[in-house]
Amino acid sequence: DADVTQTPRNRITKTGKRIMLECSQTKGHDRMYWYRQDPGLGLRLIYYSFDVKDINKGEISDGYSVSRQAQAKFSLSLESAIPNQTALYFCATSEASIDYNEQFFGPGTRLTVL
Amino acid sequence: RKEVEQDPGPFNVPEGATVAFNCTYSNSASQSFFWYRQDCRKEPKLLMSVYSSGNEDGRFTAQLNRASQYISLLIRDSKLSDSATYLCVVSGYPGGTSYGKLTFGQGTILTVHP
């Protein structure tokens, strides 16, 4: 079984709908992240959480919200989806290490907003 | 100026060729450096960390020049299976605003052909 899982893997929705993307991990990592990837722009950080009680905005948090339900679960919500939120979304996890920051990624969710 | 910049390519090389990718970063306080590999429509995966002394892993050699804020990846004896997007990634130091977060370049596309 994969260490970092994301659901759904693909989603097509309409403008204005509320969408939730879910991420679960079995790696026991404290830190979790949400990114989006767009062609030519690389991965950009939306939100991150260093532990269950910690939530931080990334570089592109507008239009998104997150919930850290447990150490193993971190969900991303689009309250009112718009077409420019069409992208590939990745969840990632990492250890709480001072000097080593390797992140492990889930398989991604491909979201299309019509 | 982007925090991490890469030549997006694409690089098209024959099997057996040697290819080099370059990357520059703008934050002189960056602490950790990585190359990630991303296959088409898949999640990024760590290829190798990059150390000041340079490091090698089989056919792959990574170099870091802190004075020039420059990172490189050299692939020798290219294989068809090396075809992917290579992402240059940096992370900040403890106490800094980018600590624990990864900043990605937009990626360099490599295609190795027979």
Side-chain angles (χ1 to χ4, degrees), chain B residues 15-103:
Chain B
E15 278 185 289
T18 295
V19 61
F21 303 141
N22 303 318
C23 169
T24 58
Y25 60 96
S26 62
N27 186 349
S28 60
S30 296
Q31 179 197 39
S32 305
F33 308 89
F34 309 92
W35 284 100
Y36 274 69
R37 170 192 168 128
Q38 185 175 24
D39 294 317
C40 187
R41 297 177 177 266
K42 301 281 191 176
E43 72 272 25
K45 293 184 179 179
L46 180 68
L47 177 65
M48 58 196 304
S49 300
V50 187
Y51 304 113
S52 296
S53 55
N55 48 299
E56 187 173 310
D57 183 2
R59 298 181 291 107
F60 298 83
T61 300
Q63 297 277 357
L64 167 64
N65 184 322
R66 286 187 181 270
S68 301
Q69 296 178 205
Y70 171 91
I71 307 163
S72 66
L73 177 68
L74 183 75
I75 305 175
R76 293 181 299 277
D77 189 22
S78 299
K79 310 293 185 189
L80 296 177
S81 58
D82 294 334
S83 297
T85 297
Y86 291 83
L87 303 168
C88 176
V89 186
V90 305
S91 181
Y93 65 93
T97 56
S98 59
Y99 171 62
K101 298 184 290 183
L102 299 183
T103 301

Side-chain angles (χ1 to χ4, degrees), chain A residues 19-21 34 46-47 64-66 74-78 89:
Chain A
I19 296 295
M20 179 179 286
L21 309 183
W34 275 105
I46 305 172
Y47 271 95
Y64 301 94
S65 62
V66 291
F74 192 37
S75 60
L76 175 72
S77 294
L78 288 67
Y89 290 84

Side-chain angles (χ1 to χ4, degrees), chain A residues 24-86:
Chain A
S24 294
Q25 52 113 347
T26 59
K27 298 187 75 68
H29 289 169
D30 286 323
R31 299 177 179 176
M32 298 187 74
Y33 310 80
W34 275 105
Y35 294 89
R36 66 176 279 175
Q37 186 172 34
D38 300 274
L41 295 179
L43 278 82
R44 293 181 292 166
L45 184 63
I46 305 172
Y47 271 95
Y48 63 103
S49 169
F50 280 3
D51 63 45
V52 175
K53 296 180 181 179
D54 176 75
I55 300 289
N56 303 282
K57 293 182 177 180
E59 61 179 298
I60 53 162
S61 59
D62 287 348
Y64 301 94
S65 62
V66 291
S67 174
R68 185 80 185 267
Q69 299 96 324
Q71 186 204 37
K73 295 185 182 296
F74 192 37
S75 60
L76 175 72
S77 294
L78 288 67
E79 296 300 327
S80 180
I82 56 177
N84 76 0
Q85 290 177 314
T86 293

